[in-house]
Amino acid sequence: MASHLMPRLHIPHRSTANPAPLSHNKRMQLLRRAVEDEELDLMDRVVVVLALLFAQTLSRICRFTLDDLVEEDGRLSIRFGDPPTPVPEPFAELLRDFATRRPNLTTATNPGARWLFPGRRAGQPMDTSTLAGRMRKNGLPTFHGRTAAIRQLALQAPAPVVARMLGYHHVHITALAAEAGSPWSHYAPDDHAK
């Protein structure tokens, strides 16, 4: 009986290291696209703004409600942490527009949904994998862009301030700030009003 040799299975090596975050220029190009590219669906444009400007994860983005949008004296803020974070123009106008034209509200079970991104199932927000698929389809790298956004913000303000503004734990933001070479690394978070 002839022996049959099994073909060798070759599995290519994939690095599990985190790739570098987007460059500042690439992040700005994607934010500009979110504002200017009207061929891109409004929902995708808003997700890009929330991820690349405000460093929000897709899982957090899915859970925002209309109540997280705070309009006061003609200025829009969004509640990521405490206090709500101001949304600069032209991004504020995108969010306002999207809030009035949210998807998945035409079914009998969803007309009163408060989710900013209502899902297809009654009372549920949109699924994270749905948003991730939309981002991949349009070539919008939200994960690496979010990391770049956090690092950029941590270069502009102390990590505890950024963490509070975005609703993150300060230890995580402090570590990212140190990696980015933040000039605020010796900032002492305390009540400086005394």
Side-chain angles (χ1 to χ4, degrees):
M1 174 155 57
S3 67
H4 296 307
L5 295 175
M6 293 289 293
R8 289 192 91 164
L9 178 62
H10 174 71
I11 301 173
H13 172 72
R14 275 185 55 184
S15 172
T16 57
N18 285 338
L22 292 179
S23 71
H24 179 69
N25 288 341
K26 180 65 175 171
R27 190 172 136 256
M28 291 298 106
Q29 287 173 359
L30 290 168
L31 285 167
R32 188 174 301 113
R33 180 178 174 202
V35 170
E36 297 172 356
D37 187 352
E38 293 186 9
E39 290 184 19
L40 192 60
D41 187 277
L42 181 58
M43 178 168 50
D44 299 332
R45 296 164 71 191
V46 168
V47 171
V48 165
V49 168
L50 293 172
L52 301 187
L53 186 63
F54 296 110
Q56 298 300 300
T57 64
L58 293 180
S59 60
R60 291 177 94 189
I61 290 171
C62 287
R63 309 238 19 118
F64 290 128
T65 67
L66 293 176
D67 301 322
D68 292 319
L69 299 178
V70 180
E71 190 82 42
E72 194 172 279
D73 298 326
R75 305 188 108 201
L76 181 68
S77 295
I78 188 164
R79 191 172 287 117
F80 301 121
D82 184 38
T85 302
V87 181
E89 293 294 349
F91 307 111
E93 192 55 40
L94 276 179
L95 274 166
R96 286 184 193 102
D97 191 21
F98 179 71
T100 63
R101 299 191 299 158
R102 295 171 297 141
N104 300 328
L105 296 177
T106 57
T107 63
T109 56
N110 244 2
R114 299 294 297 162
W115 298 110
L116 189 56
F117 297 91
R120 292 179 190 224
R121 294 186 330 192
Q124 297 297 313
M126 189 170 288
D127 186 77
T128 302
S129 61
T130 300
L131 283 184
R134 293 177 66 99
M135 297 298 101
R136 275 191 305 276
K137 177 183 152 207
N138 290 304
L140 302 167
T142 55
F143 176 76
H144 303 301
R146 185 180 70 82
T147 303
I150 291 173
R151 288 181 178 181
Q152 185 64 39
L153 290 167
L155 290 172
Q156 297 172 351
V161 172
V162 172
R164 187 171 173 211
M165 179 184 79
L166 299 178
Y168 283 103
H169 193 276
H170 70 89
V171 172
H172 174 66
I173 303 299
T174 300
L176 286 172
E179 285 178 21
S182 173
W184 298 96
S185 60
H186 299 293
Y187 174 81
D190 199 356
D191 182 4
H192 296 286
K194 293 179 183 179

